[in-house]
């Protein structure tokens, strides 16, 4: 099974150590997660505006997709 991660999920999972980040990490161990370039860019833009300290965890998340 493949699970699509939209921009909102990517944004929320970018908070290192959060429950949501752990849930996505578990998902990636079990199955395959995919996203789109559009979702990545939207999440990146929202992170820059709202959570400028989260992008390092975001980039690590993207490496696993």
């Amino acid at each position: 099974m493949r699970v699509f991660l939209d921009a909102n999920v990517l944004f929320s999972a970018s908070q290192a150590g959060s429950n949501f980040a752990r849930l996505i990490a578990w998902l990636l161990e079990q199955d395959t997660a995919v996203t789109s370039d559009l979702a990545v860019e939207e999440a990146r833009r929202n992170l820059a505006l709202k959570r400028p300290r989260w992008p390092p965890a975001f980039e690590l998340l993207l490496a696993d997709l």
Side-chain angles (χ1 to χ4, degrees), residues 13-44:
S14 295
Q15 183 182 13
S18 69
N19 287 336
F20 205 81
R22 286 194 295 273
L23 176 65
I24 298 303
W26 175 82
L27 169 70
L28 292 171
E29 291 173 4
Q30 307 303 312
D31 276 312
T32 303
V34 297
T35 192
S36 68
D37 291 339
L38 184 62
V40 169
E41 289 309 311
E42 182 180 346
R44 188 173 276 131

